[in-house]
């Protein structure tokens, strides 16, 4: 009971007694950031090497989001090759 806002608030608060997942090490964070930067830079370089400056520029945003998933949380189902490649093909 309590309506949808109260239900949402309870979900935001989480389970009683639940703990957060372990924090990533500084090395993992640095490698993730560097790989994301290089990956997005490579896609950007290929894009501007093959297209005019105005063609398909919005494609870079989806690749940026994918880079965050793949390098930041590689074990999640969303970061697996089938989902990444399939999502971009669609």
């Amino acid at each position: 009971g309590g309506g949808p806002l109260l239900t949402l608030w309870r979900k935001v608060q989480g389970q009683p007694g639940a703990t957060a997942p372990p924090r990533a090490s500084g090395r993992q964070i640095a490698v993730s950031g560097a790989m994301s930067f290089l990956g997005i830079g490579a896609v950007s370089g290929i894009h501007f090497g093959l297209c005019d400056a105005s063609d398909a520029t919005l494609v870079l945003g989806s690749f940026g989001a994918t880079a965050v998933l793949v390098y930041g949380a590689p074990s999640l189902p969303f970061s697996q090759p089938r989902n990444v490649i399939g999502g971009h093909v669609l």
Side-chain angles (χ1 to χ4, degrees), residues 2-88:
L5 287 177
L6 186 58
T7 302
L8 176 64
W9 179 246
R10 287 184 181 146
K11 284 176 82 173
V12 169
Q13 289 178 322
Q15 299 277 334
T19 60
R23 185 179 172 113
S25 70
R27 183 175 188 275
Q28 287 175 318
I29 293 169
V31 168
S32 174
M35 295 303 291
S36 296
F37 180 79
L38 291 173
I40 293 169
V43 170
S44 179
I46 292 168
H47 164 72
F48 285 111
L50 296 176
C51 301
D52 291 336
S54 63
D55 290 343
T57 302
L58 295 177
V59 167
L60 294 177
S62 64
F63 281 107
T66 300
V68 169
L69 284 173
V70 169
Y71 298 120
S75 62
L76 291 178
F78 297 122
S79 303
Q80 301 309 306
R82 183 183 86 182
N83 294 331
V84 170
I85 295 167
H88 284 289

